Amino acid sequence: MVRALVLGAAERQAGETPVVHLTGARITGRLRLEFAEACCVLRLERCWFERKPQLYGASLRVTGFAGSHLPGFSANRVLVAGGNLDLMHTRITAPGLSVYDTRIDGGLLLQGAHLSNPGAVALHGSRLDLGGGLVGDEGFRIEGELQLPEARLGEGLRLRGAQLSNPGATALTCRNLQTRVLDLRATRVVGTLDLRHTHLDVLHLP
């Protein structure tokens, strides 16, 4: 049903902006939007997903899963046009969040989110391209490795006050990252940081 609505099954009314907006739903099937072209804004907020959404290769408009519980989230080689991918206050468990080779015109919003894949990669963002920034403050927590090699983050990587934990291994990998600002003020890191060949204008450290 959700897939059909996102792809335009409902009749569109002239002068209205189409939106699929669910709050507090329990979604027991798999949300499959591989290679889909969304005709509307998609907001699935404070929802509980039984299975990992599949968005590979999709062309989306502004999209949000704020406050939802997800058993992994895969949005690789996706285009989000005209705005943000909102994952604020989500709880994403193993196998984590994957957004490699994805282009988002706005930002990737992770304020207050909790990503958990201990001992493995919790956020895979190789070659992620953001017009805005990756915002992971206001209680953002990640258990496992945060990978952003060769990513381009237009307005910065903002992890102020975040908690990054990958004991005995790399907590943050940013090799060849290009961005304006890397903000690690008040950030608690358990593990190592790999910033080799990173291009920055401003670096804020604890």
Side-chain angles (χ1 to χ4, degrees), residues 3-205:
R3 174 185 171 87
L5 291 171
V6 170
L7 297 181
E11 182 178 351
R12 182 171 178 175
Q13 296 181 351
E16 296 291 337
T17 301
V19 178
V20 174
H21 190 180
L22 294 177
T23 301
R26 182 182 180 96
I27 299 174
T28 57
R30 187 187 297 278
L31 177 59
R32 300 191 62 178
L33 292 172
E34 297 101 324
F35 302 106
E37 293 190 16
C39 70
C40 62
V41 172
L42 174 62
R43 293 197 177 280
L44 303 176
E45 299 176 340
R46 299 192 301 278
C47 294
W48 190 92
F49 288 79
E50 184 180 80
R51 304 177 69 182
K52 179 175 71 171
Q54 298 284 356
L55 307 179
Y56 184 93
S59 296
L60 306 174
R61 302 196 184 183
V62 176
T63 300
F65 291 78
S68 293
H69 185 286
L70 301 120
F73 187 89
S74 178
N76 302 315
R77 296 184 176 171
V78 165
L79 170 64
V80 179
N84 303 318
L85 177 57
D86 181 356
L87 299 176
M88 293 190 290
H89 303 287
T90 53
R91 175 79 162 88
I92 301 177
T93 55
L97 169 62
S98 186
V99 286
Y100 68 77
D101 291 323
T102 286
R103 165 67 191 178
I104 302 173
D105 286 351
L108 176 57
L109 308 183
L110 291 167
Q111 296 98 312
H114 181 196
L115 312 184
S116 180
N117 194 17
V121 178
L123 194 164
H124 181 8
S126 296
R127 298 172 299 280
L128 176 64
D129 186 3
L130 302 180
L134 190 156
V135 185
D137 50 19
E138 301 178 22
F140 174 58
R141 293 186 296 148
I142 183 166
E143 298 173 76
E145 185 177 356
L146 195 168
Q147 288 188 349
L148 294 168
E150 300 181 44
R152 298 172 61 91
L153 312 181
E155 296 182 6
L157 174 56
R158 301 182 184 276
L159 299 172
R160 186 169 186 168
Q163 297 181 40
L164 313 180
S165 179
N166 198 24
T170 304
L172 176 62
T173 300
C174 292
R175 293 189 194 182
N176 297 296
L177 172 74
Q178 296 185 42
T179 191
R180 291 179 53 240
V181 178
L182 173 55
D183 189 350
L184 296 173
R185 286 175 289 187
T187 303
R188 184 174 184 270
V189 181
V190 179
T192 60
L193 303 179
D194 186 351
L195 305 179
R196 284 176 284 183
H197 307 293
T198 297
H199 296 266
L200 306 168
D201 293 330
V202 180
L203 173 62
H204 296 293
L205 291 173

